[in-house]
Amino acid sequence: MIEVAFWLLAVAFVSRLTFVIRFGSSTAFLAAMGIGLIGLFSTGVLVPEPILDGLLGGHNVLHLLRNLAVTYAVWLIRDGVVHAFGGEADRSRFIYRRSFLLLVTAAIVIPFLFQHFVPTTERFVPENVDQPAVLIYATVYMAALGFLAASVVKTCLAPQSSRAVRVSARGVAVGMAFMAVACIDEIVYMQLQALDAGPAGLRAVLYGAFSPLLYGGVLIVSLSLALPLLIRVVRTFDLVNRLTLLVLEVSPATINDSTKVQSSLQRMRAAWLHADPSSAVYEHIIRESDRRVTEEHRSLPALTARALAAAEDRFDRSFDMTVKEKEIL
């Protein structure tokens, strides 16, 4: 799960970075992705955690830095979401200011410094939660992360006029909700573990549920943040009309005819590289409309007919939207 989240976030980060450099896209979530990537890297997905922590002294300092990185990444996502969807009243509240982030950071770091330091272990919290300092450190971290994630959920559920933005925001809300539940799960587990209370089976379930919830949330958030980029790629390169043109230019009958395979490949290449695929698809729609008048019994392959119908519906909706915009203006 962690490896999938890491590589997906890496792809999303590189994609957004490319669009920022090439098209001047918003950098609101770029830093959050980069810091989140560093946090996931520190879990040992590429370099074993003991080696990384050994470079920092071998006393689980990497655990602290990873938690701070995740906290800051979620903070940056919340900051971007609030600036995009929130009102002026939200942005002026103390919990959205940098001073609040500094307070949270201090509340996490200070208890960590008062622990009895132990050698590097991948199960740092479960093995040392009996130390009051470690229990306070981990509890404050989980509470802060859960609070930040829950506040993102609240903002993302605000009404949005754009369907793409609405879907992306709802996806972020779902992912953050998973992370908030993971934080609650971990806090309950740590208290039971520290007090040696509750059935061992319950503690095992709580411990096992944490990673799927947390990193599942990271996966969903990464996908949701990448959605606007994907939509922009589709629109920038007009991929829908290019794919439609491929279907319209090359019928199954032509492809199955071995004498025309080379011609079909040339037509496919020309269709995919067409300078204006939208106009070419529209010309197909006009020609087919004319043929319906002159050739009543002409039938098309099922895939071609579906592609034409979908394209015609898409152009009609686009025309209706243009007319409405003109009426408003």
Side-chain angles (χ1 to χ4, degrees), residues 123 125-127 129-130 187-197 203-204:
R123 288 173 50 87
V125 171
E127 292 175 1
V129 75
D130 56 327
I187 289 173
V188 173
Y189 163 75
M190 288 187 297
Q191 309 313 309
L192 294 177
Q193 187 73 1
L195 298 172
D196 194 21
R203 281 184 275 168

Side-chain angles (χ1 to χ4, degrees), residues 53-71:
D53 192 60
L55 299 174
L56 300 171
H59 292 292
N60 301 291
V61 175
L62 183 68
H63 193 279
L64 171 64
L65 296 181
R66 176 169 62 242
N67 289 347
L68 291 178
V70 173
T71 302

